[in-house]
Amino acid sequence: MTVQEASPLASWFSSLVGSASPSSSKETYSGSAKSYDVCNKDDDDRWERERAFDIADSLETGSAREIVTEFMHPLRRASKLWKFHVVRSEDKLQYRLFSDDGDFLMYAKANLEAREVSFFLYNPSEKNDQLFNSEKPAFSMSWNKDKTEWRIVQERCENCQFSPKHLTCTCHGKQQVAWIRHHRKPVGDGIFNCMEVQVPGLYADGSRVVWCPLLGRGDLSAPIDDSYEAQRLITKQPSWNDEVESLVLDFKGRHILSSAKNFQLALSQKPEHVLCQYGKIGPQTFSLDFKYPLSVIQAFGVSLTTLFWT
């Protein structure tokens, strides 16, 4: 194992993520001042002031996890996939992401009526975790009525989080992190659940594209051009195996159980080069392995779009 491929969670996230910075510092937005009542809530200001004291207390014990951008950075470059796993609750509505060594990374909860998954940096099952707030997710993911299109957004945009509330993108769609579309196709005697994923790209200097609507960016679902400001990933198609009478994929390094939720993703221009794989390894446990250029929230979010796959 090379030095670059050492344990990804040494010093928690510092060695796991790359050094790519958001590109919003290169671009600014100036617009006319408008008032949006939905964005001007005294309760939000009061909550943020009270939370600041809680964070200060938690910093003293080393338990604060407030740097959302760490979950947005792509993982460090490596020849192999970084290994993680997802544990699902019995009701199939709560998910926890762990490193393969068991370090907690992120918690997600699905609300079927609201058609939304909320992502949190804190684990509600941990004792004395006063920083967890079910009404303040770090990221959220919504889906359409047909359950075919999914969109992940960051709740506090990197580009305009320090701007006055009436000049932020909160009321304009928020910062988009990924867009996913599902469809199905027959393969042999089976049905293959397919997806295509579009994520903000990376510039030549390694900085990330911040998909903020106030930077003039349209919807992330729009067709991708040759600017490399967005990247498209597709599912690797399985093959039909007559011996086991099932669709099969080669999950190298993992013993995978049969499940309709299993998938592998690759860049559209390199369909044989797997960048992300998700597979069932236990009754309520799934492996989630991925690498550059995906980030933690992108891989975790994409994996949970299989919520309704059967």
Side-chain angles (χ1 to χ4, degrees), residues 13-26:
F13 247 0
S14 60
S15 65
L16 171 64
V17 298
S19 58
S21 301
S23 64
S24 57
S25 60
K26 301 178 181 179

Side-chain angles (χ1 to χ4, degrees), residues 129-279:
D129 199 342
Q130 72 273 19
L131 290 180
F132 176 79
N133 186 322
S134 62
E135 297 181 358
K136 295 288 183 178
F139 304 91
S140 60
M141 178 170 68
S142 58
W143 65 85
N144 65 357
K145 184 177 180 180
D146 296 329
K147 306 169 186 173
T148 56
E149 293 191 10
W150 305 65
R151 180 174 281 98
I152 306 172
V153 299
Q154 183 169 332
E155 289 298 318
R156 301 190 68 176
C157 175
E158 294 170 82
N159 173 63
C160 51
Q161 60 179 322
F162 301 115
S163 301
K165 288 186 177 179
H166 64 280
L167 293 179
T168 68
C169 67
T170 301
C171 303
H172 299 275
K174 302 181 180 178
Q175 177 185 348
Q176 296 186 43
V177 177
W179 173 81
I180 305 98
R181 182 169 63 186
H182 293 175
H183 62 281
R184 308 180 78 188
K185 62 181 292 187
V187 176
D189 292 334
I191 298 295
F192 170 41
N193 288 314
C194 314
M195 74 169 77
E196 60 177 299
V197 180
Q198 294 188 179
V199 297
L202 301 170
Y203 290 117
D205 63 0
S207 61
R208 294 182 289 108
V209 176
V210 174
W211 212 271
C212 169
L214 299 189
L215 291 175
R217 306 201 187 282
D219 196 274
L220 194 52
S221 64
I224 294 177
D225 55 25
D226 296 328
S227 67
Y228 296 100
E229 292 204 338
Q231 300 182 87
R232 181 171 176 263
L233 295 89
I234 57 174
T235 37
K236 186 176 180 181
Q237 181 169 309
S239 58
W240 178 260
N241 187 304
D242 288 323
E243 184 177 341
V244 298
E245 297 184 340
S246 177
L247 295 171
V248 295
L249 283 168
D250 182 12
F251 285 81
K252 295 181 179 179
R254 291 287 195 181
H255 177 67
I256 301 298
L257 305 177
S258 178
S259 172
K261 301 181 187 300
N262 298 346
F263 71 81
Q264 292 180 325
L265 283 176
L267 287 172
S268 58
Q269 62 267 38
K270 296 181 179 180
E272 296 303 315
H273 185 59
V274 175
L275 297 179
C276 177
Q277 60 182 26
Y278 183 66

Side-chain angles (χ1 to χ4, degrees), residues 79-127:
S79 59
K80 297 182 180 180
L81 301 175
W82 295 113
K83 292 186 176 182
F84 303 83
H85 63 271
V86 177
V87 178
R88 182 179 64 184
S89 62
E90 291 292 335
D91 63 5
K92 301 182 181 181
L93 296 179
Q94 299 180 65
Y95 299 80
R96 288 170 174 82
L97 175 66
F98 298 90
S99 74
D100 231 29
D101 294 328
D103 296 290
F104 169 79
L105 291 178
M106 190 174 284
Y107 165 76
K109 184 174 183 180
N111 184 328
L112 301 185
E113 292 184 1
R115 299 207 302 263
E116 184 175 71
V117 178
S118 299
F119 298 85
F120 304 87
L121 309 189
Y122 296 95
N123 188 350
S125 64
E126 290 182 358
K127 295 180 179 179

Side-chain angles (χ1 to χ4, degrees), residues 1-10 12 15-16 76-83 101:
M1 179 178 290
T2 65
V3 173
Q4 187 180 26
E5 294 177 355
S7 174
L9 283 164
W12 195 59
S15 65
L16 171 64
R76 291 194 290 111
R77 290 181 182 271
S79 59
K80 297 182 180 180
L81 301 175
W82 295 113
K83 292 186 176 182
D101 294 328

